[in-house]
Amino acid sequence: MAEVKVMLIFAVLALICLFPGNRALTFREKASQVKLDAQWIDAKANDVVDLIFVMDRSGSVGRNFPKAKTFVKDFLDYFSIAPQHTQVGVVLFDNGVSNPLPLTHNNHKCKFMGQLERDVPNTVGGLTNAYAGLEFAVNLLRKNSRKNFGAFPVVVFITDGDYNVGGNPLPQVEALKREGALLIIITIGNNLRRKAEILGWASKDNRNQPMAFPIENFDQFAHLAHYIHKGSQTSKFLPIDDAECGNKCDKAGASASACVCDTLASRGQPTCGCDPGQHVKAINGKDGCVNCPLGFYQEEKNIFRSCKSCPKGQTTHAPRSADISQCVCGPGFWNPIDKSRNPHKGQCSRACSVKASTLYPSAAKGRGFIDCDMSERFSATT
């Protein structure tokens, strides 16, 4: 009998490991799964995503609606909002439905973040017509989705209450999936009698886990969003209308900078950017552009205050270098393989030691010095 009990215990433990959805996820596990799913969505779609947030703004949400908007902002830090990348729409539902931010094809993150703050009101009220919200999302995808460009449709449904008007939303859930949409479900609070049903609408991710996240309260909801933030991202900079930067950017001559939007990591603040081979510098009270000095480079349009340094022992032939391949061995360094200034496997060796002469020392002494004349020539040509 004892052996049977032990076997049953191991069987239960195995089921828990195989099917983690059968147990309550910890807060950290929920956060990690949302983060992984956000990264997976971004990678799966090759940067072309049609993303729609369907948000509950019924009376029960109350003063917590701004926290839901904060979650949207934090979630979007994983996406490059630009015409060729991700486009975002917002649908709100209470008794009825509204679409303050349509799914357009020409938006960028700086513009969208301003619209989210300005055009999505914090006022709430009414019942919970989830059917109308999801139905609107279906029609939005049918009319505005960029399927012809390989866009990956994603719908994030956020609610804190049971649907209580408009009917059962299941037909619209099924319609979304027929449109090829990935459906993420986030519920807040413990007052949902239909929580299991609503969470069951979710699609499954690449680990075959349901993309369903029950959050206990709105404060935890905000913390979850902040936890998702963690992770390295590659910034991209999209030129936008100069008027969006106001008078921040220097427009005079060689130091002129351009107004750009960081479409991936920013929270929507237009800023001044420079071309490859340059970096941003304050000039007469405005942000202008200066060339990278010798020994430094910058590959892309950027908003950085300095350029990247060449590896140790390397410099550049001229200022305004735009790639690490323009770094060459500097004074006192060389490529000992072909005795050139071109780095060997990205590295340069010191051309002579402090005590070395212009002659190779005797091999019998084991000194191993190399010809200092090479470094002298380097010094003369740098």
Side-chain angles (χ1 to χ4, degrees), residues 5-24:
K5 286 183 178 179
V6 171
M7 291 177 66
L8 285 172
I9 290 171
F10 276 105
V12 171
L13 289 173
L15 284 171
I16 290 173
C17 292
L18 287 171
F19 303 100
N22 292 337
R23 64 177 175 85

Side-chain angles (χ1 to χ4, degrees), residues 187-258:
T187 62
I188 302 101
N190 295 311
N191 297 322
L192 288 84
R193 290 179 291 107
R194 297 188 175 98
K195 178 185 284 190
E197 174 193 347
I198 294 172
L199 292 172
W201 298 342
S203 303
K204 292 186 177 180
D205 63 15
N206 59 327
R207 302 178 310 284
N208 203 36
Q209 295 298 311
M211 302 180 77
F213 306 96
I215 307 300
E216 292 179 4
N217 56 62
F218 273 95
D219 287 331
Q220 191 181 49
F221 187 50
H223 290 311
L224 174 67
H226 294 153
Y227 186 87
I228 293 170
H229 252 324
K230 298 177 183 177
S232 59
Q233 302 170 26
T234 302
S235 294
K236 300 181 185 300
F237 305 99
L238 182 71
I240 57 178
D241 190 337
D242 286 342
E244 296 193 40
C245 286
N247 294 320
K248 292 190 295 186
C249 304
D250 181 20
K251 296 299 176 185
S255 63
S257 59

Side-chain angles (χ1 to χ4, degrees), residues 28 70 75 80 86 121 133 137 147 157 195-196 199-200 202 238 253 268 273 296 362 374:
R28 187 171 293 275
T70 297
F75 189 84
S80 170
T86 299
K147 286 185 178 179
F157 179 80
K195 178 185 284 190
L199 292 172
L238 182 71
F296 293 82
S362 168
M374 183 65 70

Side-chain angles (χ1 to χ4, degrees), residues 42 47 77-81 85 109 231-238 260-267 271 298-304 308:
D42 192 42
D47 279 337
D77 274 353
Y78 283 95
F79 299 90
S80 170
I81 302 179
H85 296 150
K109 179 166 281 186
S232 59
Q233 302 170 26
T234 302
S235 294
K236 300 181 185 300
F237 305 99
L238 182 71
V260 299
C261 176
D262 183 344
T263 66
L264 182 62
S266 79
R267 298 302 290 271
T271 189
Q298 183 57 256
E299 305 106 324
E300 58 186 356
K301 185 175 284 291
N302 68 94
I303 61 172
F304 307 127
K308 299 176 182 178

Side-chain angles (χ1 to χ4, degrees), residues 22 51 53 60 69 75 78 144-145 160 174 201 269 288 297 306 321 328 343 381:
N22 292 337
L51 178 58
F53 290 92
S60 59
K69 287 169 63 175
F75 189 84
Y78 283 95
N144 294 348
S145 176
D160 82 323
E174 294 171 345
W201 298 342
Q269 293 298 319
Y297 67 96
S306 62
S321 295
V328 296
T381 57

Side-chain angles (χ1 to χ4, degrees), residues 139-152:
N139 292 329
L140 206 56
L141 284 179
R142 287 173 177 169
K143 293 178 181 178
N144 294 348
S145 176
R146 297 171 295 166
K147 286 185 178 179
N148 293 339
F149 298 95
F152 182 33

Side-chain angles (χ1 to χ4, degrees), residues 7 38 57 60 64 84 88 102 106 136 150 182 205 216 236 243 258 263 277 354 359 375 378:
M7 291 177 66
R57 61 184 298 266
S60 59
N64 290 305
Q84 68 273 38
V88 185
N106 58 356
F136 199 98
L182 191 76
D205 63 15
E216 292 179 4
K236 300 181 185 300
T263 66
V354 176
L359 301 175
S375 69
F378 288 175

